[in-house]
Amino acid sequence: GIQVEQSPPDLILQEGANSTLRCNFSDSVNNLQWFHQNPWGQLINLFYIPSGTKQNGRLSATTVATERYSLLYISSSQTTDSGVYFCAGITRQGAQKLVFGQGTRLTINP
Amino acid sequence: EAGVAQSPRYKIIEKRQSVAFWCNPISGHATLYWYQQILGQGPKLLIQFQNNGVVDDSQLPKDRFSAERLKGVDSTLKIQPAKLEDSAVYLCASSLKLAGSSSNTQYFGPGTRLTVL
């Protein structure tokens, strides 16, 4: 089955708005991570967040491992926040590897 | 600190031709990964090296794809012969530790965009 599932698939907002991206993950993965892929394709690691809450500037993330979901919050969105946001988890069984969700495409309009 | 380097950035070939991609990881990173990212999807791991040994290649189409990491530093990924469905971005990443290690962070290169006609 699907190991990492993200919603919504697309999100269009005006500059200054806040957004919440969701990631549901199966019990076959753990050690959740969030990435941002900018419009030029560069993939940047935002958070390593197996549980709890972390904040970095306007971005924060919360993972509730017992309920198998993670949320990424972006406050006061800027046009540079545009791109695709991926969550990914490490598989528990076999060779541990990073499994990505399908991503949320975020477009911030000026 | 220099990031992960990849070349070429773009490649256009015809089906049944061969192609090779090169990756230079961050200095000192023992683990190197190759991912395939098809348009509209998340990256999919093809192969993972720890130093010059293969940790996982379960999703590598071995009839046409091959990869090596000689001397545990640079790596090359080859496709021979290419098919139309191989059109994708090929991402290389590196990390200090294995993927399952706690607080492991993977650093990604800019990718190589392959178009197979």
Side-chain angles (χ1 to χ4, degrees):
Chain A
I2 297 175
Q3 296 177 298
V4 181
E5 194 167 18
Q6 294 185 242
S7 60
D10 292 279
L11 189 57
I12 301 174
L13 299 171
Q14 289 299 120
E15 200 168 21
N18 301 328
S19 57
T20 301
L21 283 58
R22 186 178 179 102
C23 175
N24 293 330
F25 54 97
S26 68
D27 58 7
S28 63
V29 300
N30 61 7
N31 292 342
L32 239 289
Q33 302 177 39
W34 283 96
F35 294 82
H36 175 224
Q37 189 166 41
N38 66 24
W40 296 271
Q42 183 67 54
L43 204 60
I44 304 294
N45 191 301
L46 297 176
F47 294 104
Y48 172 85
I49 187 160
S51 63
T53 297
K54 289 186 179 179
Q55 181 158 4
N56 184 2
R58 295 181 296 103
L59 274 61
S60 64
T62 296
T63 296
V64 183
T66 53
E67 296 185 27
R68 315 215 64 77
Y69 73 89
S70 183
L71 302 174
L72 178 69
Y73 305 97
I74 305 174
S75 63
S76 304
S77 299
Q78 300 175 359
T79 56
T80 51
D81 295 329
S82 295
V84 183
Y85 290 81
F86 290 101
C87 70
I90 300 291
T91 54
R92 292 178 183 271
Q93 301 295 330
Q96 294 172 316
K97 53 192 177 188
L98 203 56
V99 177
F100 285 78
Q102 295 287 77
T104 292
R105 179 172 298 278
L106 177 66
T107 303
I108 304 298
N109 291 320
Chain B
E1 175 181 271
V4 177
Q6 289 188 248
S7 67
R9 292 295 312 278
Y10 305 91
K11 190 73 177 178
I12 301 174
I13 62 173
E14 295 187 348
K15 59 183 179 182
R16 291 188 291 273
Q17 286 187 320
S18 302
V19 65
F21 313 127
W22 173 82
C23 173
N24 179 240
I26 292 173
S27 177
H29 280 194
T31 311
L32 185 146
Y33 315 79
W34 282 102
Y35 291 84
Q36 180 192 58
Q37 186 176 19
I38 292 172
L39 187 64
Q41 299 182 17
K44 181 185 80 173
L45 180 70
L46 292 176
I47 189 167
Q48 178 177 333
F49 292 94
Q50 175 75 1
N51 297 310
N52 60 351
V54 175
V55 174
D56 181 79
D57 63 357
S58 57
Q59 298 190 99
L60 187 73
K62 298 181 187 63
D63 58 333
R64 298 184 300 105
F65 285 64
S66 64
E68 60 182 9
R69 192 182 183 198
L70 299 175
K71 302 180 181 178
V73 181
D74 293 4
S75 177
T76 55
L77 176 69
K78 297 179 182 178
I79 307 176
Q80 180 180 8
K83 292 185 175 181
L84 296 178
E85 58 262 35
D86 297 332
S87 293
V89 175
Y90 290 85
L91 295 164
C92 179
S94 70
S95 65
L96 274 173
K97 299 179 272 189
L98 281 171
S101 303
S102 63
S103 301
N104 189 45
T105 298
Q106 294 188 25
Y107 297 88
F108 285 79
T112 296
R113 184 177 298 277
L114 174 68
T115 302
V116 182
L117 303 176

